[in-house]
Amino acid sequence: MAKEGDYALLKLPSGETRKVLADCMATIGQVGNTDHENVAIGKAGRNRWLGIRPTNRGVTMNPVDHPHGGGEGRPRRTSSGDPVGQPTRGYKTRNNKRTDTFIVSRRRSRKTAASF
């Protein structure tokens, strides 16, 4: 977006604006296999060949295994976890005070992005 002193202002795809050293090198554009999203795996075995193990949802686990685990039966599609423990599902976990000074504006929230 702009250059000021030793730093350049970058607007990231998340909507966050941050300062980066102007000496840094970066690739602009799209990286990777664009056709990747069109691949149909077809069966569980093909995923296993790729080294991907079976996944289990947190809701189906016990409280010791996952924050979403536990509960009596299944009253809703998902349970929000223990209200006494660490908040889950969208709780902000960023804790890096060292690089906070480089963030000019935080990323846009999903609510504001969806209203455009």
Side-chain angles (χ1 to χ4, degrees):
M1 290 174 56
K3 286 183 184 177
E4 44 185 63
D6 292 341
Y7 291 93
L9 276 178
L10 295 183
K11 189 167 185 103
L12 304 176
S14 64
E16 180 178 291
T17 308
R18 69 161 48 219
K19 291 179 185 175
V20 179
L21 274 173
D23 298 337
C24 293
M25 301 284 280
T27 302
I28 298 175
Q30 195 164 336
V31 180
N33 182 4
T34 54
D35 208 33
H36 173 72
E37 63 184 304
N38 301 325
V39 175
I41 298 295
K43 58 180 185 176
R46 190 158 165 211
N47 251 340
R48 296 310 304 271
W49 300 337
L50 299 172
I52 300 169
R53 301 196 60 224
T55 54
N56 218 68
R57 294 174 303 131
V59 174
T60 64
M61 297 180 190
N62 290 320
V64 293
D65 302 319
H66 199 275
H68 297 169
E72 296 288 323
R74 193 182 72 177
R76 293 180 302 280
R77 195 80 187 134
T78 58
S79 62
S80 298
D82 193 335
V84 186
Q86 181 187 25
T88 59
R89 301 168 74 200
Y91 172 66
K92 287 185 171 56
T93 57
R94 179 181 162 83
N95 183 19
N96 191 354
K97 294 188 175 79
R98 188 177 57 83
T99 61
D100 276 350
T101 54
F102 298 116
I103 298 175
V104 178
S105 69
R106 291 249 170 246
R107 68 184 177 92
R108 58 179 178 264
S109 67
R110 285 192 176 163
K111 290 176 184 171
T112 55
S115 63
F116 286 6

